[in-house]
């Protein structure tokens, strides 16, 4: 993180203000303030990690993943009961991304669900999502399969099964 002296002073002052506003995190903010004031480049890289960056393409992919899960649920609900009996509805649930491996993706989902209030029909909020394993690759395979379907909101049981097992 390259900052001039004025930017460092501004950021240092912001950390000071944050320490007053959030006394429970005061030690953390004082540490950040010291790093910025003294220009410890190695630790400033650590602070920079807190500023996420997702490309437009990645954001669209996450939205498409949530949209796909919505389409799976809608399609499943429109199937006849004998088809529904072939697949447990829990297999269609969006379980989120692994915070340990995919933090930026998980944070973006939280933003979409809790701040933007999008996809309320998924019945999830940020607190209810955290996969134990990395899911990005799995969701990409599922999206590829879903995009091949001619009617993405009127999926057959076989198409649903193909997507879920991708």
């Amino acid at each position: 993180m390259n900052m001039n002296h004025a930017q460092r002073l501004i950021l240092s002052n912001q950390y000071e203000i944050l320490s007053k506003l959030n006394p429970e995190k005061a030690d953390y903010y004082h540490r950040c303030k010291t790093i910025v004031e003294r220009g410890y480049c190695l630790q400033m890289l650590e602070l920079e990690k807190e500023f996420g960056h997702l490309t437009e393409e990645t954001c669209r992919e996450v939205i498409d993943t949530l949209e796909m899960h919505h389409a799976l649920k809608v399609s499943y609900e429109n199937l006849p009961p004998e088809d529904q009996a072939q697949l447990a509805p829990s297999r269609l649930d969006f379980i989120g991304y692994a915070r340990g491996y995919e933090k930026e993706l998980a944070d973006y989902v939280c933003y979409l669900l809790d701040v933007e209030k999008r996809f309320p029909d998924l019945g999830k909020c940020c607190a209810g999502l955290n996969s134990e394993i990395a899911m990005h690759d799995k969701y990409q395979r599922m999206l590829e399969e879903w995009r091949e379907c001619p009617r993405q909101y009127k999926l057959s049981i076989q198409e649903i099964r193909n997507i879920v097992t991708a």
Side-chain angles (χ1 to χ4, degrees):
M1 183 178 338
N2 294 325
M3 295 184 286
N4 64 36
H5 291 295
Q7 291 168 323
R8 286 175 46 198
L9 178 61
I10 291 167
L11 187 55
S12 170
N13 288 336
Q14 289 175 340
Y15 280 129
E16 181 66 30
I17 293 167
L18 285 169
S19 71
K20 303 282 190 241
L21 293 173
N22 300 304
E24 68 281 353
K25 289 181 150 185
D27 290 341
Y28 169 75
Y29 291 128
H30 282 296
R31 178 179 179 272
C32 293
K33 181 179 189 279
T34 302
I35 290 168
V36 170
E37 285 176 350
R38 296 186 184 163
Y40 298 147
C41 290
L42 182 62
Q43 283 73 24
M44 285 176 74
L45 290 174
E46 175 187 323
L47 295 180
E48 193 174 274
K49 286 182 186 176
E50 293 180 16
F51 295 99
H53 174 76
L54 290 180
T55 64
E56 181 181 339
E57 179 185 352
T58 302
C59 290
R60 290 189 191 285
E61 182 181 303
V62 171
I63 291 170
D64 287 350
T65 299
L66 294 170
E67 193 71 39
M68 174 188 63
H69 279 85
H70 169 70
L72 287 168
K73 286 188 178 271
V74 167
S75 296
Y76 182 83
E77 290 168 3
N78 290 326
L79 290 173
E82 59 273 8
D83 285 348
Q84 288 181 355
Q86 296 179 37
L87 188 69
S90 62
R91 298 275 318 269
L92 309 176
D93 287 346
F94 176 71
I95 60 173
Y97 292 95
R99 285 221 165 266
Y101 307 103
E102 305 161 323
K103 183 184 180 325
E104 287 182 335
L105 298 173
D107 288 346
Y108 186 56
V109 168
C110 289
Y111 169 77
L112 291 171
L113 297 180
D114 294 348
V115 177
E116 296 262 322
K117 305 292 187 209
R118 293 181 69 179
F119 305 100
D121 54 305
L122 291 179
K124 303 277 184 171
C125 66
C126 181
L129 296 173
N130 186 14
S131 171
E132 297 296 321
I133 59 170
M135 294 298 294
H136 182 249
D137 292 342
K138 168 75 172 167
Y139 292 149
Q140 283 185 317
R141 291 190 307 271
M142 290 172 71
L143 280 171
E144 284 177 29
E145 193 69 38
W146 181 55
R147 288 176 178 142
E148 293 294 319
C149 297
R151 298 168 302 157
Q152 295 177 333
Y153 278 85
K154 195 164 173 59
L155 303 166
S156 69
I157 187 62
Q158 187 57 50
E159 290 170 324
I160 292 172
R161 202 178 294 122
N162 290 344
I163 293 167
V164 170
T165 60

